[in-house]
Amino acid sequence: MRGRLRVYLGAAPGVGKTYAMLGEGRRALARGRDVAVGFVETHGRARTAELLDGLEVIPRKRLVHRGATFTELDVEAVIERAPTVALIDELAHTNVPGSRNAKRWQDVEEILEAGIDVVSTVNIQHLESVNDIVLEITGVPQRETLPDEVVRRADQVELVDMAPEALRRRLAHGNVYAPEKVDAALSNYFRVGNLTALRELALLWVAGKVDDQLDRYRADHGIATTWEARERVVVALTGGPEGDTLVRRAARIAARNKGADLIAVHVTTADGLSGADPAGLARLRTLVESLGGTYHQVVGDNIPRALLDFAGGVNATQLVLGASRRGRLAQILSRGVGVTTTALSGSIDVHMITHAQASKGRVGPSPSRAALTRTRRLIGWVMALAGIPALTVALLPAKGDLALSSEMLLFLVTVVGVAMVGGMWPALTAAVAASLALNVFFTPPLGRLAISDPENILALTVFVLVAAAVSVIVDIAARRTREAARASAEAELLSTLAGHVLRGEAAVPSLLARMRETFGLTSVTLLERKSEPSLDDLGEPGSWRIIATSGGPPATCPGASDTDVVIDDRLVLAARGRLTDAADRRVLEAFAAETAVALHQQRLEEEVDQVKPLAEADRMRTALLAAVSHDLRTPLASAKAAVESLANTGIAWTERDRAELLDTAEESLAKLERLVVNLLDMSRLQAGVLGVDLQPVALEEIVPRAIDDLGQSRESVEGDIGVDLPEVLADPALLERVLVNLVSNAVRYSPPGEKVLVGASRHAGHVEIRVIDRGPGIPREARDRVFLPFQRLGDRDNHSGVGLGLALSRGLAEAMGGTLVPDETPGGGLTMILTLSVPT
């Protein structure tokens, strides 16, 4: 039996996730459960470490990588120890190369499969779906991520919440980071705005998880009524010209309730399409999505019932419909979709929205009426059983005034009418009844089932054949119309599916959710075999792994489903809720194929993400060897030649010559030293082990020293640093290195006679240092690439260094909690802007 996963989710580091996890472990231990710590990172927090007392800690696995020793979760030891509950911290952690799995969540999956319950932790910024949003909010890329589905599949997700001000107080008191890191953290990642936005992300994500749990509970317990836990506004679209008005009105209704969902739905009827324009629906779908809503499409014979079933399925609280476009006569003869839906809506509020097209009649072709619904067949039987006797009674008084041929034509018209309304069997019944009535009441001898004139026999025979032929033709036409409508509905569904794929919405959970909505299923599950296929594993849940699921209780094996679609030897799509017919199965197979493609693409992307760091490291090594092979050799050769010349006793060097040779050797060795220091610092940055000593630094002291370090190039630099500027939070040595790199780069590309300007100014809580040159500048599309190691944009030779200057400068700036961005110098050139925080 698979273990249960409990996850503590936090908005930011320091909110107390690990503390809460250890507290839960101690409570479980007190309840008599076997608890062991698989991996816990206390981060040096004393109160967190105290909770480890009395808990068994399974020794970590030691791994050596690039000469350094690391410790990781020992999966084999945890499984062998087999506690009832394992406490495993940092679910999104990336394991050291050489570990059993690339990610810790994959380790946890193995432990869960072994039947061990796991309690773990994760921060909201590590979830893949919000990774880009977190980067936009904080400006800090998160390299350790995990798929949302891992946390969504957890049996319990608990939010560890803390107000931003409270978290900042914890930080200031030294309860989160070491004192020397507090100021930088408060000024950057832990700003109130950042924490508030991250907190909202966490709350919304957990709210979505709660929605899933609520839907699953309602499905498990057969609860069809709406629970108004959250406002959800569903707008019904026909594809008509009133669609824009309905969507915008529904969006305004949703906007009045913070956090409300906007959901658009179009019902495609299986027995004859509504004449919706695909281009119009596509435009409305774009409008809905631009307003933050989602677009759905379902198939239903009864439009009001299909709308209400969908609204109930998504737990909608309000339904927006357009006023009928039918004319007055049509509204009198039939209640219409809007009135019927309102009458059946129950607890769902229905808004009938008027619009410019109301009561003007339908625009374009009306829907086909040829397909035979149950109502039409019933009317056909009524016409056959009641119409023929009524016509007979009506014609008896005029029996002597009308010829037999006229009477036959009247009966034939009636039979044709029955055929057009009710189809073949009511029409055949009417034809037989009409033949008997003509024989008994209108053909001599009257009153008996006999015919004296042979011509009347021929006439009655032709009458029956014509009536039967018309009935069959009408029935065939109706069947063909139904099949065409069905095919068109399937094509429209597949077109919608293709649209989602083209827009990048083909993730496996999204496709399964679309499939469940479209066919009105309880749940749809993608299953994968754990081992090689066998004949008797279809009914064995232990032989299958759930890849993704949507809806209520998932099918744990193909045998537990109502409908299953075999994709290949390892993948099966299992659906619960109802048996599907052959026509539905064609579309199901299309969905299943697309789901398999999406799964394959998802796994390829995961493999690429795993290989990318290795490829990047290999690229770095290759570029390093190519660049250093020249840049190390050049200063070494210059220094060696100068020293050998000085050591040659056969030449009488003048003092001037000796001084020049010494200068050459000194300059070459200085270049060599800078190159080696840059390479070492870059490697430390990439390994995350560069030591940074942040302290208040006065720019009027650092900038002149950096300019002096340029040697003869300092004559081309002009400093403009005001004495009234505040101190900045930085490492003095690293800041000087950054400025030297930036200024020397600017001097190298400045035209002769043009000076490089170094200035600074204060902006709110930070100071911007600007290094301005009048060189050729950098194209906007290439500005990010200049910060990659071993990049020398525009160089035509190999005499300008290995291209580490700007990459190292940005890395050092970020290590000090600052930023380094390029900008265009007005009038031409490049301006590098170094932003550093002001100590609080």
Side-chain angles (χ1 to χ4, degrees):
M1 181 177 176
R2 179 180 168 90
R4 296 174 60 84
L5 174 62
R6 180 172 183 171
V7 177
Y8 285 98
L9 176 69
V15 296
K17 301 180 302 300
T18 304
Y19 192 88
M21 180 186 70
L22 292 174
E24 173 60 24
R26 296 181 71 87
R27 288 190 293 273
L29 186 64
R31 293 193 295 267
R33 303 192 72 188
D34 183 11
V35 180
V37 177
F39 189 99
V40 166
E41 187 61 69
T42 65
H43 298 287
R45 299 163 190 166
R47 293 185 61 190
T48 303
E50 290 173 1
L51 291 181
L52 285 170
D53 294 340
L55 293 175
E56 178 188 350
V57 180
I58 298 175
R60 301 181 184 182
K61 190 172 186 178
R62 303 179 69 84
L63 297 168
V64 177
H65 178 64
R66 294 181 179 177
T69 302
F70 301 88
T71 59
E72 293 287 0
L73 170 66
D74 194 334
V75 181
E76 297 90 342
V78 173
I79 295 176
E80 183 179 353
R81 166 63 179 78
T84 307
V85 180
L87 307 181
I88 301 174
D89 208 1
E90 298 180 352
L91 188 60
H93 171 74
T94 301
N95 294 330
V96 173
S99 300
R100 183 186 183 102
N101 294 300
K103 294 283 190 176
R104 183 163 293 162
W105 67 264
Q106 296 169 327
D107 296 338
V108 169
E109 284 291 321
E110 289 194 30
I111 295 171
L112 291 171
E113 290 292 338
I116 301 171
D117 292 348
V118 175
V119 184
S120 190
T121 64
V122 71
N123 277 329
I124 187 67
Q125 67 262 29
H126 296 301
L127 298 182
E128 187 65 50
S129 66
V130 298
N131 187 252
D132 57 336
I133 302 175
V134 173
L135 174 61
E136 184 178 351
I137 292 171
T138 65
V140 179
Q142 300 293 332
R143 295 179 176 85
E144 291 190 330
T145 61
L146 80 165
D148 289 44
E149 188 63 24
V150 175
V151 184
R152 288 198 182 278
R153 285 203 307 264
D155 300 278
Q156 186 174 348
V157 177
E158 185 171 334
L159 178 66
V160 182
D161 190 30
M162 181 176 288
E165 294 78 7
L167 180 55
R168 284 171 61 85
R169 282 196 299 271
R170 289 197 66 201
L171 199 68
H173 294 159
N175 296 329
V176 180
Y177 291 145
E180 62 271 14
K181 297 182 179 180
V182 170
D183 289 339
L186 287 172
S187 303
N188 293 277
Y189 193 90
F190 287 83
R191 294 195 299 268
V192 173
N194 288 0
L195 296 178
T196 303
L198 292 174
R199 187 188 188 197
E200 183 178 17
L201 275 180
L203 289 169
L204 289 174
W205 196 94
V206 173
K209 169 70 175 176
V210 172
D211 283 342
D212 294 341
Q213 291 175 330
L214 179 60
D215 291 342
R216 191 156 48 245
Y217 177 85
R218 293 172 69 236
D220 291 346
H221 293 78
I223 301 172
T225 57
T226 299
W227 287 5
E228 298 187 16
R230 181 178 180 179
E231 288 290 338
R232 289 181 175 85
V233 181
V234 172
V235 53
L237 301 176
T238 65
E242 76 281 2
D244 292 50
T245 302
L246 299 183
V247 170
R248 291 190 170 90
R249 180 63 63 86
R252 290 197 293 273
I253 293 173
R256 297 189 191 113
N257 303 276
K258 187 169 181 60
D261 294 332
L262 174 63
I263 305 169
V265 61
H266 171 66
V267 179
T268 300
T269 57
D271 62 344
L273 293 178
S274 60
D277 177 19
L281 287 174
R283 181 180 55 78
L284 290 174
R285 179 176 60 209
T286 302
L287 175 61
V288 170
E289 293 171 350
S290 69
L291 294 172
T294 57
Y295 176 85
H296 305 261
Q297 185 167 305
V298 296
V299 175
D301 292 325
N302 187 311
I303 294 179
R305 177 51 56 193
L307 282 175
L308 292 173
D309 287 346
F310 176 83
V314 298
N315 205 21
T317 56
Q318 303 187 60
L319 179 60
V320 177
L321 302 173
S324 177
R325 284 185 282 134
R326 301 181 307 152
R328 293 182 180 276
L329 179 60
Q331 294 184 42
I332 293 173
L333 296 176
S334 173
R335 299 172 69 187
V337 172
V339 176
T340 305
T341 303
T342 303
L344 300 175
S345 62
S347 60
I348 300 176
D349 297 335
V350 178
H351 301 265
M352 293 291 291
I353 307 300
T354 187
H355 50 85
Q357 300 297 324
S359 300
K360 290 186 177 180
R362 294 184 179 273
V363 178
S366 61
S368 170
R369 302 294 296 172
L372 301 184
T373 63
R374 182 175 180 179
T375 301
R376 286 184 58 183
R377 290 195 300 270
L378 181 61
I379 295 174
W381 281 111
V382 171
M383 291 176 61
L385 298 177
I388 298 300
L391 181 60
T392 301
V393 171
L395 290 178
L396 282 175
K399 182 169 53 177
D401 300 329
L402 293 175
L404 178 61
S405 59
S406 299
E407 293 164 341
M408 292 177 63
L409 287 175
L410 290 173
F411 275 101
L412 181 60
V413 169
T414 303
V415 171
V416 171
V418 172
M420 296 182 65
V421 175
M424 181 172 65
W425 294 111
L428 289 177
T429 302
V432 172
S435 175
L436 292 175
L438 284 168
N439 192 338
V440 172
F441 296 106
F442 300 99
T443 305
L446 300 176
R448 289 190 301 158
L449 194 62
I451 303 173
S452 58
D453 189 347
E455 290 185 5
N456 292 338
I457 296 176
L458 177 61
L460 286 174
T461 303
V462 172
F463 171 84
V464 173
L465 291 176
V466 170
V470 171
S471 303
V472 171
I473 291 172
V474 170
D475 186 75
I476 292 175
R479 291 177 184 275
R480 293 293 181 266
T481 303
R482 177 185 289 273
E483 292 172 359
R486 182 83 190 195
S488 182
E490 291 177 2
E492 189 171 346
L493 276 174
L494 294 175
S495 174
T496 301
L497 172 63
H500 290 303
V501 173
L502 291 174
R503 292 194 305 278
E505 300 175 9
V508 174
S510 174
L511 287 171
L512 296 184
R514 297 283 178 185
M515 197 182 315
R516 180 175 60 84
E517 294 166 358
T518 299
F519 295 100
L521 300 170
T522 303
S523 69
V524 181
T525 307
L526 182 62
L527 299 171
E528 184 179 43
R529 277 190 173 92
K530 294 181 180 179
S531 56
E532 291 301 317
S534 63
L535 297 176
D536 56 353
D537 66 350
L538 295 179
E540 294 293 333
S543 301
W544 298 87
R545 179 188 299 109
I546 295 177
I547 300 300
T549 186
S550 175
T556 54
C557 62
S561 65
D562 296 318
T563 301
D564 63 271
V565 179
V566 178
I567 301 173
D568 55 31
D569 290 342
R570 303 194 66 83
L571 293 176
V572 173
L573 193 69
R576 277 181 167 179
R578 66 180 179 89
L579 294 173
T580 56
D581 56 27
D584 284 341
R585 192 172 182 87
R586 290 197 303 270
V587 183
L588 273 175
E589 288 173 352
F591 270 99
E594 185 57 43
T595 303
V597 172
L599 177 64
H600 181 63
Q601 182 178 357
Q602 175 182 316
R603 289 179 171 175
L604 284 177
E605 290 173 354
E606 292 174 358
E607 292 176 5
V608 168
D609 290 339
Q610 294 176 7
V611 172
K612 190 180 295 182
L614 299 177
E616 180 64 21
D618 185 67
R619 189 194 71 80
M620 293 276 287
R621 284 193 295 269
T622 303
L624 176 61
L625 291 174
V628 171
S629 62
H630 172 272
D631 291 282
L632 279 176
R633 187 170 62 248
T634 300
L636 277 175
S638 299
K640 181 180 179 182
V643 172
E644 287 178 350
S645 298
L646 289 172
N648 190 346
T649 58
I651 301 175
W653 300 104
T654 64
E655 289 299 322
R656 182 177 178 180
D657 292 334
R658 291 177 63 83
E660 288 180 358
L661 289 172
L662 287 172
D663 288 340
T664 300
E666 182 181 5
E667 183 180 355
S668 299
L669 292 174
K671 288 182 179 179
L672 184 61
E673 180 186 22
R674 285 197 298 271
L675 174 61
V676 172
V677 170
N678 282 345
L679 289 171
L680 290 175
D681 284 345
M682 179 57 70
S683 64
R684 292 191 187 104
L685 272 175
Q686 292 180 337
V689 295
L690 179 67
V692 180
D693 179 22
L694 294 179
Q695 57 184 274
V697 175
L699 290 179
E700 61 265 30
E701 296 177 4
I702 295 295
V703 172
R705 287 211 307 264
I707 294 175
D708 288 337
D709 288 345
L710 297 175
Q712 295 181 356
S713 299
R714 61 176 175 267
E715 301 299 328
S716 302
V717 181
E718 180 180 337
D720 183 17
I721 307 296
V723 294
D724 57 341
L725 283 174
E727 294 179 326
V728 296
L729 196 63
D731 183 310
L734 296 184
L735 177 56
E736 185 174 342
R737 289 276 307 285
V738 171
L739 291 174
V740 169
N741 282 340
L742 294 179
V743 176
S744 62
N745 188 73
V747 170
R748 182 181 306 120
Y749 290 101
S750 291
E754 289 283 352
K755 287 199 171 186
V756 172
L757 177 63
V758 181
S761 58
R762 178 171 183 170
H763 299 270
H766 58 269
V767 172
E768 290 184 354
I769 306 169
R770 296 174 176 266
V771 179
I772 305 169
D773 68 56
R774 295 291 180 179
I778 299 174
R780 185 176 298 275
E781 63 274 9
R783 288 181 182 175
D784 287 335
R785 286 194 291 124
V786 298
F787 292 105
L788 298 176
F790 315 115
Q791 295 292 319
R792 296 189 294 268
L793 295 181
D795 289 347
R796 299 181 182 275
D797 55 48
N798 286 328
H799 301 284
S800 51
V802 296
L804 280 174
L806 291 180
L808 180 61
S809 296
R810 171 171 276 187
L812 295 178
E814 292 175 350
M816 294 184 292
T819 60
L820 179 62
V821 296
D823 197 4
E824 184 178 356
T825 301
L830 179 68
T831 298
M832 300 299 296
I833 304 173
L834 173 63
T835 304
L836 296 171
S837 299
V838 175
T840 55

